[in-house]
């Protein structure tokens, strides 16, 4: 934490540094942080973009898919020139244009029981932007046993759910406390079947990024033990408590 910010960094992040809850010390914490984003779709794109703009020093991004034309209406890091290209590498190219100093590790894989632990353990904070419950449970379970801070997002139609799990606190409930695994049809989060308004993905992803930055800085309140439920069609926001 002794390294000084250079003149370019001070100017680039000046609007953050001026905030009394951040300052130079807080900006250094952001620059030294390591965040893993799982899923570079409608949620992962705004998370990655805003963490990059905020100055996060190291990002890991995981996604096996290539860019499809139907992705572009909500996945903000891609454009028509990225069609059929790997999402993680297309995203890395855009993110490096935003902040050339950021370190980005690309993982073009499907996360599974054999590969997840050695990747996730390298990062301090984890963002779940996946679109299926099998992956969400996998991420949840490993973050729980390894005491990681996890921010989970889910979107469908005009609705969004956001959870934060601070698993260093042993009293923290997990996603299994909210969703019953045997009662969830796995296509419930699939935009191909349910549909999604693009702005819903952007709003939920941006809130996920906000929760990660607050945790890095240890400021404000998080959603630990609660879920934030957004109905963006009727503009209803509810914070609901749930127990372990």
């Amino acid at each position: 934490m002794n390294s000084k910010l250079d003149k370019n960094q001070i100017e680039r992040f000046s609007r953050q540094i001026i905030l009394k809850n951040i300052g130079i010390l807080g900006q250094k914490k952001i620059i030294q942080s390591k965040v893993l984003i799982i899923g570079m779709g409608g949620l992962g794109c705004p998370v990655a973009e805003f963490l990059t703009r905020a100055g996060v020093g190291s990002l890991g991004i995981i996604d096996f898919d290539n860019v499809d034309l139907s992705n572009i209406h909500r996945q903000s890091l891609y454009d028509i020139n990225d069609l059929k290209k790997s999402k993680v590498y297309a995203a890395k190219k855009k993110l490096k244009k935003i902040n050339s100093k950021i370190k980005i590790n690309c993982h073009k894989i499907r996360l599974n029981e054999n590969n997840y632990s050695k990747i996730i353990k390298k990062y301090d904070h984890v963002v779940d932007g996946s679109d299926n419950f099998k992956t969400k449970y996998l991420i949840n379970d490993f973050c729980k046993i390894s005491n990681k801070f996890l921010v989970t997002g889910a979107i469908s139609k005009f609705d969004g759910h956001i959870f934060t799990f601070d698993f260093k606190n042993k009293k923290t409930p997990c996603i299994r406390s909210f969703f019953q695994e045997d009662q969830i049809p796995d296509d419930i989060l699939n935009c191909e079947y349910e549909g999604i308004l693009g702005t819903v993905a952007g709003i939920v992803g941006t809130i996920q990024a906000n929760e990660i930055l607050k945790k890095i800085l240890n400021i404000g309140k998080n959603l630990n033990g609660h879920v934030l439920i957004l109905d963006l069609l009727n503009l209803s926001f509810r914070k609901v408590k749930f127990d372990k």
Side-chain angles (χ1 to χ4, degrees):
M1 199 67 74
N2 293 326
S3 59
K4 293 184 177 180
L5 300 184
D6 62 34
K7 184 178 179 181
N8 181 277
Q9 289 173 311
I10 291 172
E11 182 177 354
R12 174 184 285 263
F13 305 118
S14 60
R15 302 305 190 269
Q16 287 179 179
I17 291 170
I18 200 172
L19 294 169
K20 66 178 183 179
N21 288 330
I22 300 182
I24 292 289
L25 188 62
Q27 189 61 50
K28 287 181 181 179
K29 289 180 180 178
I30 295 172
I31 290 170
Q32 293 177 358
S33 63
K34 298 177 181 179
V35 181
L36 178 65
I37 303 170
I38 301 167
M40 286 303 296
L43 297 177
C45 282
V47 173
E49 178 178 345
F50 280 97
L51 292 183
T52 298
R53 291 187 186 279
V56 165
S58 180
L59 274 186
I61 53 177
I62 298 178
D63 203 303
F64 184 73
D65 291 338
N66 296 328
V67 178
D68 183 82
L69 184 60
S70 66
N71 299 149
I72 293 175
H73 99 285
R74 69 191 180 283
Q75 299 180 16
S76 56
L77 289 176
Y78 313 125
D79 59 48
I80 203 77
N81 296 312
D82 298 314
L83 291 179
K84 298 185 179 180
K85 294 180 181 177
S86 162
K87 285 186 177 181
V88 290
Y89 292 108
K92 179 178 179 178
K93 185 176 180 181
K94 301 288 176 63
L95 295 170
K96 292 291 279 188
K97 288 181 179 180
I98 294 169
N99 182 359
S100 61
K101 291 190 174 183
I102 190 171
K103 180 180 179 182
I104 299 175
N105 297 308
C106 294
H107 304 279
K108 187 177 175 16
I109 59 168
R110 294 192 193 280
L111 205 66
N112 60 42
E113 292 85 351
N114 299 317
N115 59 25
Y116 70 103
S117 61
K118 67 179 181 180
I119 296 173
I120 295 176
K121 69 181 182 182
K122 297 177 182 178
Y123 297 88
D124 304 315
H125 308 90
V126 180
V127 178
D128 172 13
S130 65
D131 63 358
N132 66 87
F133 276 98
K134 182 179 179 181
T135 302
K136 288 189 181 299
Y137 290 130
L138 189 70
I139 298 165
N140 171 90
D141 294 348
F142 184 77
C143 287
K144 185 176 180 180
I145 64 173
S146 55
N147 299 324
K148 299 290 185 183
F149 183 81
L150 170 65
V151 180
T152 295
I155 52 174
S156 180
K157 301 177 182 175
F158 298 93
D159 304 323
H161 289 66
I162 302 155
F163 307 80
T164 63
F165 303 108
D166 191 350
F167 287 123
K168 287 184 178 179
N169 181 344
K170 297 303 180 185
K171 295 182 180 180
T172 296
C174 72
I175 200 168
R176 293 180 184 274
S177 304
F178 189 80
F179 293 113
Q180 299 301 311
E181 186 171 6
D182 59 350
Q183 297 175 0
I184 302 293
D186 208 38
D187 62 359
I188 194 171
L189 299 179
N190 193 318
C191 298
E192 182 179 347
Y193 296 101
E194 292 289 310
I196 183 71
L197 184 65
T199 50
V200 173
I203 291 166
V204 173
T206 303
I207 294 175
Q208 286 182 275
N210 190 65
E211 293 305 299
I212 288 289
L213 291 170
K214 283 162 51 186
K215 180 60 179 176
I216 291 168
L217 296 163
N218 286 316
I219 61 174
K221 295 180 180 180
N222 63 39
L223 289 166
N224 205 37
H226 296 78
V227 55
L228 182 63
I229 301 171
L230 287 69
D231 173 355
L232 291 162
L233 182 60
N234 299 300
L235 212 59
S236 167
F237 289 56
R238 293 186 295 143
K239 189 167 78 168
V240 178
K241 189 178 188 301
F242 64 101
D243 297 317
K244 190 170 182 179

